[in-house]
Amino acid sequence: MERNLLWWQKGIVYQIYPRSFQDSDRDGIGDLAGILRRLNYVADLGVDAIWLSPVYPSPMADFGYDVADYVDIHPIFGTMADFERLLDEIHRRGLKLIIDLVPNHSSSEHAWFKESRSSRDNSKRDWYIWRDPAPDGGPPNNWLSFFGGPAWTQDEATGQYYLHQFVKEQPELNFRHPEVLPAMLDIMRFWMDKGVDGFRIDVIWLMAKDEALRDEPANANWDGVNPHESLLHIHTQNLPEVHGLIRAMRQVIDEYDERVMIGEIYLPNEQLATYYGEDGDECHLPFNFQLIDVEWDAQVVGQAIEAYEACLPQGAWPNWVLGNHDRPRVSTRAGADQARVAKMLLLTLRGTPTIYYGDEIGMENVDVPPEYVQDPPAVLQPEIAHAIGRDPVRTPMQWDASQYAGFTTAADGPWLPLADDYETVNVAKEREDPHSMLAMVRLLVHLRRAEPALHGGSYTAVTSNVDEVLAYVRRHAAGDSFLIVLNFGDENQELDLNAIEGLATIVLSTNMDRAGRVDLASLYLLGNEGLILRLSG
Ligand code: NOJ
Ligand code: MG
């Protein structure tokens, strides 16, 4: 019998960046009605849940991650009624909706901050982090913003500085003030009462900062590129106090049935693992971004998988992310030749996979000419825009070969430029082609859903004679076992899998041109090819 897994364990998450999925009102920006129009596409892909990046009212200083009202919808995206309609239709299709929650900072336009900045004795003053200038009039300490410059801005009204680790329009909330956490917990209840199925919580590992605001030490290993990395963030990230905040949020999640809490956390394995909580009472899924950062090499990836598996606490459910709205797209990072192998990896590993919109059709990073650059870190630090700018991974979804790729019919076109390749890389075209990336991802998703070994089974690495090949077996008592072999190199290889022999059946190849029985003693892989084989007996 298959052990009963929860939907977020068994399922696959699909991230939608709402500004870029589908425009419906011809303003060149994606919206909720647009997502509704494309919902059947998402359902047909076979994924289980949508994670929607923020759609709250926002001045868009960080494209929605600057929230001006946590309990409403930005008119750019639609109305609360549109949101409720979308949620209904998502549920009607048997899908779940996870929304983004951004508790670490609000917009400077949030009513809370407007009050807070108005005077030193306002009752919301300490809802944010204010300090007097240093003796020389400069910022209170050396903390830096991720997006460039100091993490402090002086406010004219009172002469004090406030903390912001992103743009200055994102003041950080002070979770040491007793009223702030309860306010955030009520916001969670508000959305769960509406029926949302969980939250992806923005920069959850930054929510607590050193109370004494001590300077951060220099990072001796800094590569000289991104100034934010010139310091070691020991007083602004991963503080022990953050776990209490997360436990409180999880308790609210647990007031409801089967909701999920996903935490955005960029930390090495040992530290990441602590975000499950000592008794599994923190995040259900602390996002595991290793596949995003790892060197694309079979041995390195294999070791990363082993190391992660080895760190997971008892009862913790793993997860894997191949792309998101902040990091280079996988087709660009690993290379177009490896894009299919990467997806086969993501969708055959043990643990919940997250797919970033457009990756399923092979969208690439788009070169955004300087005059179109909009992402704040790139605007603020043009000299390193190429390294840190996120516009290239947020371009409009490529639906078809018509003008603006079917994303919008706005007279002025979409808010970010379209990829040059949209006439060939698009949903309509790939739907017609049984060998397309989209066709392959769809089959992968459906296979993973259907097979207990793939969505719920164990992971065992398999050694082979070829360094460029990653091989592993997924097993489950309730069904067949599967051998996955992935060629990270571009040369053809004959495999000797040592421990594994006998007959097997190819159920999916990345090129979608092989099937049937093979003898594992004479298994070969083409360059850049991946195979899923059903093992007999
Ligand atoms: C992480 C989000 O993913 C990113 O897009 C955003 O800029 C920062 N947090 C600040 O909210
Ligand atoms: Mg629109």
Side-chain angles (χ1 to χ4, degrees), residues 176-233:
R176 295 182 190 275
H177 187 288
E179 290 166 7
V180 173
L181 179 62
M184 205 47 77
L185 300 181
D186 278 345
I187 289 162
M188 294 174 73
R189 292 188 184 98
F190 172 88
W191 290 105
M192 287 193 285
D193 287 341
K194 274 199 189 297
V196 310
D197 301 288
F199 300 95
R200 172 270 189 189
I201 302 185
D202 193 69
V203 296
I204 202 167
W205 89 115
L206 305 189
M207 285 177 69
K209 9 260 152 188
D210 183 38
E211 197 165 15
L213 305 183
R214 283 170 287 179
D215 276 356
E216 292 189 321
N219 174 7
N221 298 320
W222 184 42
D223 62 6
V225 180
N226 185 349
H228 183 256
E229 290 166 15
S230 67
L231 298 179
L232 294 175
H233 300 295

Side-chain angles (χ1 to χ4, degrees), residues 62 65 105 147 166 170 200 202-203 264 325-326 390 394:
D62 187 17
Y65 283 93
H105 44 270
F147 290 171
F166 297 93
Q170 290 166 298
R200 172 270 189 189
D202 193 69
V203 296
E264 187 204 19
H325 61 295
D326 295 328
R390 301 168 298 178
R394 298 175 174 181

Side-chain angles (χ1 to χ4, degrees), residues 22-31 76:
Q22 177 65 53
D23 179 23
S24 73
D25 60 357
R26 311 191 63 208
D27 64 354
I29 300 172
D31 43 53
I76 281 185

Side-chain angles (χ1 to χ4, degrees), residues 77 111 126 147 211 234 282 324 342 408-409 438 446 487 513 532:
F77 297 121
D126 293 331
F147 290 171
E211 197 165 15
I234 58 170
E282 296 186 30
N324 63 32
T408 185
T409 53
L438 178 60
H446 285 271
N487 189 351
D513 56 359
I532 302 179

Side-chain angles (χ1 to χ4, degrees), residues 128 183 254:
Y128 294 84
D254 289 345

Side-chain angles (χ1 to χ4, degrees), residues 363-412:
M363 280 174 63
E364 300 240 14
N365 283 9
V366 175
D367 277 332
V368 176
E371 64 272 26
Y372 291 106
V373 169
Q374 307 195 38
D375 184 34
V379 171
L380 295 168
Q381 302 176 94
E383 56 305 339
I384 52 167
H386 59 282
I388 55 168
R390 301 168 298 178
D391 294 324
V393 308
R394 298 175 174 181
T395 59
M397 180 67 176
Q398 295 159 209
W399 295 105
D400 58 42
S402 69
Q403 199 193 19
Y404 305 137
F407 165 73
T408 185
T409 53
D412 296 339

